[in-house]
Amino acid sequence: MTRRTVFYFSLLLLTLLASCGESNDYQANQRREAEDMVFAAYKAKDYPRIISLVDSFKAIGNFSEGKACYWLGYSYDRMMQKRMAELYWRTGIAAVENSTEDEDVRVYAGISNRLTGLLSTWGEYEAALKVAVSAVERLRSLKCDTTSEYTNMLIYIGCCQARFGLNENQINEKMEEGYRAHLNYIEKHPYAVFYRDAIVGVINICYTLLDIGDYEQAIPWLDRFGKLIDGYLEQEDAQTDYADKQRARYHIYRARALEGLGRKKEAAQAYAEFRKTDFFQTAEGKILASDYLQLAGLWQEAADNFTSMETLMKEYGVDYSLENLQKMLLKKYEVNKKAGRIDTAQAVSVKIVEHLDSAITLARLAEVREGTAVHQKELEMSQENERYMHQQQVERLAVLTALIVLLLGYNIVRHRMQLRLKKAHNDLKTAYDQLEKTTTIKERMESELRIASDIQRSMIPHVFPDKDRLDMYASMTPAKEVGGDLYNYLLKDDKLYFCIGDVSGKGVPASLFMTTATRGFRTLASMGKSPAEIATRMNIELSENNETGMFVTMFICMFDTKLGRMEYCNAGHNPPVISNADGTFSFLDVKETNAPIGLWPELEFKGEEIDFFHDRLMLLYTDGLNEAENQQQEQYGEDRIIKMITAHYNNNSHDIVEALKADTNLFRDGAEQNDDLTILAFRYT
């Protein structure tokens, strides 16, 4: 082996080892960008685009099998392709049901909840029970029983069991457990959105009990329904039209239950209250009253209400499918017949006959098309799985072969490296000198910027503390190739140090200053210094020989996991957002703002503390978030930050940060990013 061969072989080995960390960072960024694109399509309700994006991202490895199946099932469900949705969701459950990774568990909960709802809607209660019971048991064993998906499945279980007339005590226990979980959410976060979640859950319970004729059991649940509506109306963000619709549903459900119990006078009073609502005047409201009117034998009024059926069908774009012929036209026929309106009943029967053949034909065609699509997709998935297994085997063999070759080469050249290191250095210097002569200034600048960007990415952590009850995630997106933002953390025994910062200026100088500040923070944190001491010592170091006048604003924290106490020092940075005891959010009232670090060496920085930081969320960010601008040069603003955190409070720190990033991109609406964007979320439960 020649000396030149040895040199290039060694250079190849070092390059392969160095590229591992860089590749991981690149892949993480690609996955985040893929999630942002799917989220944007979801908000736009563009379901074919979601399918196209997810198929592409899965093929290149940006989406896992479970996450891809969640979004594909969701899209087909929204497009009313039930069998395709069920196929993907069952495939997704099989892909993640044995994993304990946080993301896989979240995907598992989401798919199980969606599949349970789909099966319940189509009346497949036994299949829905199998999915929900298995999911609830697994989530409980993983201590993931505080999510909305878990709560919804408890209520689904109770409703499905009620359909089969199973043990009444077990049914009530499931319904009560789900209801209490909703009340716990409301107690911690008394906002309209959580009241609406609880209202939907109780509506499902009331509707199920009425549908199976258990009127006595429905009465106490209806009382709870009414109290939830009252609580909803007390919230500042309550919507009066939504409250009116739910109040109308409460009264008509109550009239139906009381009529079923033979309490006709009370039922009539409840129906009179229903008629006072604005919702009663709508076509949907008229049709909603029909179940009570038929139960009470008020056929004339029921027939009058069914005159609005065509209006309702046009309003919701409903066609004359077999299901709608059964649920709507047959009911209209029966009501008019019993009301003695023979001409109208005959007219309805003619319309049923006119549409019956086409409805049957369309139903068969739809079933054949969907069945063919499902079969084709099953074949594709089977073939894809075979190709994947084959590719995995090829890749394993290739990696094993490459490792063997590299190890053999390394053993051959290792004993010669010391003697030839100087020669390799001289060869490299000669090659670099030649590169300087032949490379343009622009190419050199681009190369240096790429190197600086790689260095900067390597300075910030991409893996976060894996410790019970701690939930942390952060993200940095430079405006240019390199930036001046920073974040970092250090876990030392029972103390977690973390910080966020923004260096004055941009580009390479800011990046170098950021690197120095980051190393200073980690060094002082490892010595067990307080946040104020860290800021003071860093200020002394960064102020010396600072001829350019650069500085960095920082927010430095130290959280004691044993005592639950948070110490912090704000060095001229934006105050973080923090959750309050009443479930609201506000900006932390920082009394000691201090000056930025690096201006004057004689400064003595002061710190503060929060005595008890249990069950709270803190969001740190740089001004690239609140000062992000759209095409009209309007700023994102602090109010929008509070609104987004409130909406995503129940999510984990990763999802909160990614939701803020995605919303910032939507807000900019194509405008160029005007500053580095860094966000860090921390929660201790």
Side-chain angles (χ1 to χ4, degrees):
M1 184 180 293
T2 66
R3 288 177 293 179
R4 176 166 296 190
T5 303
V6 171
F7 168 72
Y8 283 117
F9 190 86
S10 303
L11 190 60
L12 174 62
L13 177 61
L14 293 173
T15 302
L16 287 172
L17 295 174
S19 66
C20 291
E22 183 177 329
S23 175
N24 290 336
D25 292 345
Y26 175 77
Q27 291 173 358
N29 289 332
Q30 290 293 304
R31 285 193 292 270
R32 285 194 289 271
E33 290 177 4
E35 290 173 355
D36 290 345
M37 294 176 67
V38 172
F39 183 73
Y42 157 77
K43 293 192 73 173
K45 298 182 180 179
D46 190 347
Y47 307 118
R49 176 162 172 76
I50 292 177
I51 293 172
S52 176
L53 288 172
V54 171
D55 281 338
S56 299
F57 294 148
K58 179 187 173 187
I60 61 177
N62 286 339
F63 267 26
S64 66
E65 176 79 8
K67 182 180 289 187
C69 286
Y70 172 87
W71 282 112
L72 291 170
Y74 172 82
S75 301
Y76 281 111
D77 181 35
R78 290 297 177 179
M79 294 190 296
M80 301 301 293
Q81 297 186 37
K82 181 244 181 191
R83 292 180 64 187
M84 288 291 285
E86 183 178 357
L87 169 66
Y88 276 113
W89 280 339
R90 289 194 181 278
T91 303
I93 288 177
V96 298
E97 63 183 347
N98 295 321
S99 173
T100 56
E101 295 291 330
D102 288 344
E103 180 175 297
D104 287 342
V105 173
R106 288 195 299 272
V107 168
Y108 173 80
I111 292 180
S112 299
N113 180 48
R114 293 282 186 186
L115 182 56
T116 301
L118 175 72
L119 296 171
S120 298
T121 301
W122 287 84
E124 299 178 16
Y125 304 115
E126 184 176 356
L129 269 176
K130 289 181 180 179
V131 174
V133 169
S134 176
V136 162
E137 290 177 353
R138 183 162 186 263
L139 292 174
R140 187 183 292 127
S141 68
L142 295 173
K143 301 184 188 295
C144 297
D145 52 357
T146 60
T147 63
S148 59
E149 290 86 355
Y150 177 87
T151 303
N152 289 338
M153 283 189 284
L154 287 177
I155 292 177
Y156 278 131
I157 290 172
C159 292
C160 291
Q161 289 176 338
R163 297 280 181 177
F164 292 112
L166 301 179
N167 185 288
E168 186 173 332
N169 291 331
Q170 291 182 356
I171 295 170
N172 291 337
E173 182 180 343
K174 292 298 181 187
M175 292 179 175
E176 288 285 348
E177 186 177 353
Y179 175 69
R180 287 194 302 270
H182 278 304
L183 292 185
N184 288 335
Y185 280 128
I186 291 173
E187 184 178 356
K188 293 180 180 179
H189 316 290
Y191 301 117
V193 62
F194 297 111
Y195 273 97
R196 290 181 69 149
D197 288 345
I199 286 172
V200 170
V202 175
I203 285 175
N204 285 336
I205 294 172
C206 293
Y207 181 81
T208 299
L209 294 173
L210 292 173
D211 209 34
I212 64 176
D214 193 349
Y215 303 117
E216 186 173 355
Q217 186 68 22
I219 293 295
W221 282 106
L222 285 166
D223 292 337
R224 290 174 170 179
F225 185 8
K227 290 179 181 178
L228 285 173
I229 297 172
D230 292 337
Y232 172 81
L233 281 169
E234 293 174 0
Q235 309 310 310
E236 292 182 1
D237 51 343
Q239 298 176 355
T240 54
D241 56 342
Y242 176 82
D244 177 80
K245 181 176 181 178
Q246 302 313 322
R247 184 74 71 185
R249 181 178 273 117
Y250 160 76
H251 287 307
I252 199 63
Y253 281 3
R254 190 169 185 83
R256 188 175 165 189
L258 291 169
E259 183 69 30
L261 292 171
R263 295 157 62 177
K264 293 182 174 294
K265 185 176 180 181
E266 295 175 77
Q269 291 174 348
Y271 180 61
E273 292 297 323
F274 168 73
R275 289 174 61 91
K276 294 178 183 179
T277 63
D278 294 335
F279 182 67
F280 168 71
Q281 303 301 328
T282 66
E284 185 180 357
K286 299 284 187 183
I287 300 301
L288 182 63
S290 64
D291 288 333
Y292 160 71
L293 295 173
Q294 293 177 74
L295 189 62
L298 301 174
W299 301 108
Q300 295 294 336
E301 189 172 353
D304 289 340
N305 284 1
F306 263 99
T307 59
S308 61
M309 188 191 72
E310 280 75 14
T311 303
L312 180 65
M313 292 179 71
K314 289 180 181 179
E315 182 179 340
Y316 284 90
V318 176
D319 57 8
Y320 289 99
S321 64
L322 282 175
E323 183 181 14
N324 291 324
L325 289 177
Q326 178 186 11
K327 289 185 176 180
M328 303 190 76
L329 285 180
L330 281 178
K331 279 190 176 182
K332 184 175 181 178
Y333 168 79
E334 180 183 1
V335 166
N336 280 280
K337 181 180 177 182
K338 291 188 176 181
R341 301 180 183 181
I342 303 303
D343 291 343
T344 304
Q346 288 179 346
V348 174
S349 66
V350 170
K351 184 172 287 189
I352 292 174
V353 172
E354 288 176 349
H355 291 284
L356 186 59
D357 284 342
S358 61
I360 293 173
T361 301
L362 288 174
R364 288 174 176 172
L365 287 175
E367 184 175 357
V368 170
R369 282 198 300 268
E370 189 172 2
T372 302
V374 170
H375 179 65
Q376 181 63 30
K377 186 55 66 175
E378 287 175 340
L379 289 176
E380 290 176 3
M381 293 172 70
S382 176
Q383 293 170 357
E384 182 180 350
N385 187 54
E386 291 179 3
R387 287 195 299 269
Y388 176 75
M389 295 298 295
H390 177 70
Q391 182 181 355
Q392 289 278 57
Q393 293 176 351
V394 172
E395 289 177 353
R396 291 192 187 101
L397 288 173
V399 170
L400 181 61
T401 302
L403 286 174
I404 292 173
V405 171
L406 287 172
L407 288 173
L408 287 174
Y410 177 74
N411 286 327
I412 292 172
V413 302
R414 182 177 56 180
H415 66 282
R416 303 179 182 178
M417 287 300 295
Q418 290 296 331
L419 296 175
R420 298 178 179 177
L421 182 60
K422 185 175 181 180
K423 177 65 171 60
H425 175 75
N426 292 334
D427 289 346
L428 186 61
K429 184 176 184 302
T430 301
Y432 185 77
D433 291 340
Q434 184 65 31
L435 181 64
E436 282 190 320
K437 296 176 182 178
T438 59
T439 304
T440 66
I441 296 176
K442 179 180 177 181
E443 290 173 336
R444 287 176 55 197
M445 290 178 63
E446 290 175 349
S447 177
E448 291 169 357
L449 285 173
R450 284 195 299 270
I451 294 170
S453 178
D454 293 342
I455 294 172
Q456 185 176 37
R457 284 200 302 270
S458 69
M459 293 298 298
I460 59 173
H462 300 282
V463 178
F464 297 94
D466 183 12
K467 189 175 179 66
D468 291 344
R469 303 174 69 183
L470 286 179
D471 180 20
M472 172 186 284
Y473 181 76
S475 172
M476 184 179 75
T477 308
K480 305 296 182 183
E481 288 83 353
V482 292
D485 278 7
L486 65 96
Y487 71 83
N488 217 303
Y489 78 87
L490 179 71
L491 184 61
K492 181 179 175 61
D493 299 328
D494 295 315
K495 294 181 179 180
L496 174 67
Y497 291 84
F498 59 95
C499 71
I500 192 170
D502 185 357
V503 177
S504 60
K506 297 181 179 67
V508 174
S511 173
L512 296 175
F513 202 82
M514 165 267 191
T515 301
T516 305
T518 301
R519 288 175 174 168
F521 163 78
R522 289 187 59 85
T523 299
L524 293 168
S526 66
M527 298 168 63
K529 302 294 184 183
S530 70
E533 291 174 330
I534 291 173
T536 301
R537 293 280 294 275
M538 285 179 62
N539 181 66
I540 294 172
E541 295 296 328
L542 293 175
S543 298
E544 292 182 358
N545 301 319
N546 186 7
E547 297 178 358
T548 60
M550 297 188 71
F551 60 86
V552 57
T553 67
M554 290 188 71
F555 198 94
I556 306 172
C557 297
M558 186 280 287
F559 179 69
D560 191 318
T561 58
K562 275 191 174 181
L563 303 178
R565 186 178 72 248
M566 174 79 75
E567 295 183 23
Y568 62 89
C569 176
N570 184 14
H573 199 76
N574 300 328
V577 178
I578 191 167
S579 59
N580 302 312
D582 60 357
T584 61
F585 288 88
S586 62
F587 291 93
L588 182 64
D589 184 14
V590 179
K591 297 179 177 58
E592 302 290 347
T593 57
N594 299 300
I597 295 173
L599 292 176
W600 304 286
E602 67 275 6
L603 291 180
E604 186 73 26
F605 287 75
K606 296 181 180 180
E608 301 176 63
E609 67 179 40
I610 300 173
D611 292 333
F612 193 71
F613 196 83
H614 284 279
D615 296 322
R616 302 185 74 176
L617 171 69
M618 176 182 283
L619 184 90
L620 286 69
Y621 62 93
T622 59
D623 53 15
L625 177 61
N626 60 308
E627 295 181 4
E629 294 182 349
N630 59 17
Q631 299 278 13
Q632 292 75 39
Q633 295 186 327
E634 299 168 334
Q635 292 192 345
Y636 189 82
E638 297 176 345
D639 291 341
R640 186 156 177 160
I641 297 174
I642 295 291
K643 183 178 179 181
M644 281 294 296
I645 298 178
T646 301
H648 294 273
Y649 173 73
N650 285 321
N651 296 342
N652 58 33
S653 60
H654 172 275
D655 291 348
I656 290 173
V657 171
E658 293 303 320
L660 277 166
K661 287 173 57 183
D663 192 57
T664 308
N665 287 335
L666 289 175
F667 173 79
R668 282 202 300 267
D669 191 25
E672 185 178 355
Q673 183 178 339
N674 59 317
D675 199 357
D676 303 333
L677 172 62
T678 303
I679 309 172
L680 185 151
F682 170 75
R683 189 199 302 266
Y684 184 70
T685 58

